[in-house]
Amino acid sequence: MSVSMLSTFVKPMHREGRKFVAIAAGITLVLFLICEYLGWIGVGLTVWVYYFFRDPVRVTPTREGLMVSPADGVVSLLEPAVPPAELGLGDRPMVRISVFMSVFNCHVNRLPMAGRITRVAYRPGKFLNASLDKASSDNERNGLAVELADGRSYGVVQIAGLVARRILCEVVEGQTLMTGERFGLIRFGSRLDIYLPEGVSPLVCIGQTMIAGETVLADFTSEEAPRSGGVR
């Protein structure tokens, strides 16, 4: 197998996953001692845990004005919504793009657009299915307010899901990140909400598959109207 083919299947792992892979491997050893059949089930579980915490390299568009998806997954909601009050983005509706991540998606989160983190706000809450609209207001969440070079701000919110029980945020207020840089992770199924500044139209559709750090969500230099799409 060539190096390029190997890299297609073997991805780097986020450091948060090391302890979980070690736990799964330990359970697998015990299962083999009990029954070989159960041991192989444990092997499958260990591989899945590694796969969940994969942290692949992404190629992020660098042209000025492009905003990319912060998460792998599917666009589940696309509508005007008032951003969480704790972000300090005001009480007027902003266009919200919601990206739902299943347990099979990569869960490393990346900053949608370069800027300075002006607010990091955690809020405890419920663990409803992250695909539901009310998950934005009721579920446990951690939000970032990001100030752009032109003075405008946008929001990106990590939302826990039905299975997710831990939101990891690795940035602090005052920190400046580039587009596509990693800022956190959510364990085991969740959702990311992005709140666009006024006058910016989304370039994605409900049901579209997103790739974190690569798929363009919006173009701040474009006057294109919001896109519509159809299943093919």
Side-chain angles (χ1 to χ4, degrees):
M1 180 179 292
S2 68
V3 174
S4 59
M5 289 184 64
L6 183 63
S7 64
T8 301
F9 298 100
V10 180
K11 305 294 183 183
M13 183 176 63
H14 192 281
R15 61 180 178 275
E16 181 78 1
R18 294 171 186 169
K19 57 186 175 184
F20 292 96
V21 170
I23 291 171
I27 293 173
T28 298
L29 290 176
V30 173
L31 291 176
F32 266 118
L33 293 175
I34 298 172
C35 172
E36 183 177 352
Y37 173 76
L38 293 177
W40 285 112
I41 293 177
V43 170
L45 174 64
T46 303
V47 171
W48 178 81
V49 172
Y50 154 76
Y51 181 74
F52 177 86
F53 285 102
R54 67 195 184 280
D55 184 12
V57 173
R58 296 287 164 82
V59 179
T60 299
T62 56
R63 177 169 70 75
E64 186 177 351
L66 295 182
M67 172 180 274
V68 299
S69 177
D72 287 14
V74 174
V75 177
S76 59
L77 294 170
L78 186 54
E79 60 190 1
V82 176
E86 64 266 20
L87 294 185
L89 296 176
D91 56 4
R92 297 181 61 181
M94 304 171 73
V95 174
R96 180 179 69 193
I97 304 172
S98 298
V99 179
F100 174 74
M101 297 180 286
S102 76
V103 295
F104 299 105
N105 289 123
C106 172
H107 276 57
V108 175
N109 304 144
R110 296 170 179 265
L111 198 72
M113 195 171 190
R116 184 173 67 89
I117 310 298
T118 58
R119 188 76 60 88
V120 178
Y122 169 78
R123 180 185 178 279
K126 301 177 181 179
F127 297 96
L128 305 174
N129 189 323
S131 64
L132 300 177
D133 183 27
K134 60 182 179 180
S136 292
S137 58
D138 294 351
N139 280 23
E140 176 177 314
R141 63 179 183 254
N142 185 78
L144 306 179
V146 185
E147 184 180 58
L148 303 172
D150 62 8
R152 289 185 290 179
S153 294
Y154 71 89
V156 56
V157 183
Q158 299 168 291
I159 301 174
L162 185 64
V163 182
R165 286 296 185 272
R166 173 123 158 72
I167 296 175
L168 175 66
C169 180
E170 300 177 309
V171 297
V172 296
E173 293 181 3
Q175 189 172 348
T176 298
L177 274 71
M178 297 175 62
T179 303
E181 279 199 81
R182 300 163 178 83
F183 74 87
L185 174 146
I186 316 178
R187 287 208 302 251
F188 307 123
S190 42
R191 171 174 139 194
L192 269 287
D193 283 352
I194 307 93
Y195 292 87
L196 302 180
E198 184 177 358
V200 178
S201 297
L203 299 182
V204 294
C205 313
I206 291 179
Q208 187 173 340
T209 299
M210 299 289 100
I211 300 176
E214 294 191 357
T215 305
V216 174
L217 293 182
D219 184 350
F220 284 46
T221 66
S222 173
E223 297 182 357
E224 181 180 347
R227 292 182 180 179
S228 58
V231 178
R232 296 290 185 268

